[in-house]
Amino acid sequence: MQNLDRLFVLTGFIFVLVGMALGLMMSGRQDFTLGGLHAHLNLLGFVFMTLIGLIHHAWPKIRESGLAKVHYLLHTISVAVSMFLLYFVLSDPAVYGPKFGPFMDASLGATYLSVLLFVYLFWSKAKD
Ligand code: HEM
Ligand code: HEM
């Protein structure tokens, strides 16, 4: 996919806008319960996705592979779903921990798989 590099960076911007808004909200209320959500929206969502976008830009051969699109979808969907569930788990661990925790862990496992997939794509395609 031609513009996958741009898509990664733009998706990262969406995550950082949500993450920063949450940071401002935590700061305004002086309630840091959702700190872990803020940190991972910004790091797993924005920093990591921007880095992947820049890697795609530097080694264009990676995005010629059909697996690159699968990787984009796997990373974006798994991070978005995990962060959505983490919101509930951190807001009320006693109620939502047992209910959503296992699904959140499965989704984070999918994020881990997406990183492994990207390592494979980089290793096999980024040779020059
Ligand atoms: C409008 C922008 C932002 C605001 C208002 C903000 C606010 C905050 C607040 C209030 C905390 C909690 C501090 C505490 O628990 O004592 C925090 C933690 C954190 N923020 Fe932000 N933040 C912003 C942007 C960012 C960005 C852009 C990133 C990363 C790229 C980031 C990464 C982190 C991390 C990693 C932590 C956790 C630190 C720790 O627990 O040791 N923040 N932020
Ligand atoms: C599957 C991926 C990941 C999982 C399951 C995960 C899980 C965790 C957990 C359980 C904590 C402790 C939270 C707490 O003490 O409240 C944590 C903290 C932290 N993680 Fe991650 N993490 C992941 C990926 C990352 C990545 C990719 C980065 C950076 C690029 C990162 C940066 C941090 C930072 C800065 C903290 C300390 C901030 C805080 O305590 O809220 N994590 N992570």
Side-chain angles (χ1 to χ4, degrees):
M1 195 173 164
Q2 258 317 306
N3 57 354
L4 203 58
D5 50 349
R6 195 162 179 268
L7 197 58
F8 263 109
V9 175
L10 285 173
T11 310
F13 285 149
I14 296 173
F15 279 110
V16 84
L17 286 173
V18 179
M20 283 171 63
L22 184 62
L24 287 168
M25 203 182 80
M26 294 191 313
S27 193
R29 294 181 182 171
Q30 287 297 294
D31 176 355
F32 307 119
T33 312
L34 297 175
L37 176 61
H38 165 79
H40 291 86
L41 269 171
N42 283 329
L43 296 172
L44 213 44
F46 169 61
V47 176
F48 204 80
M49 289 196 97
T50 304
L51 189 60
I52 293 170
L54 292 175
I55 291 175
H56 268 296
H57 195 70
W59 285 276
K61 278 201 179 138
I62 304 175
R63 61 190 128 121
E64 285 169 12
S65 163
L67 273 180
K69 208 163 130 190
V70 173
H71 168 253
Y72 170 80
L73 290 173
L74 188 60
H75 190 93
T76 306
I77 294 171
S78 66
V79 171
V81 170
S82 315
M83 295 301 108
F84 180 72
L85 296 176
L86 184 58
Y87 169 81
F88 291 100
V89 171
L90 290 180
S91 298
D92 195 339
V95 174
Y96 293 112
K99 243 189 214 169
F100 292 162
F103 296 106
M104 187 186 76
D105 290 345
S107 190
L108 285 166
T111 308
Y112 191 82
L113 281 181
S114 94
V115 176
L116 280 179
L117 179 56
F118 193 65
V119 171
Y120 167 73
L121 279 169
F122 185 83
W123 176 74
S124 60
K125 305 283 174 200
K127 287 184 174 159
D128 47 28

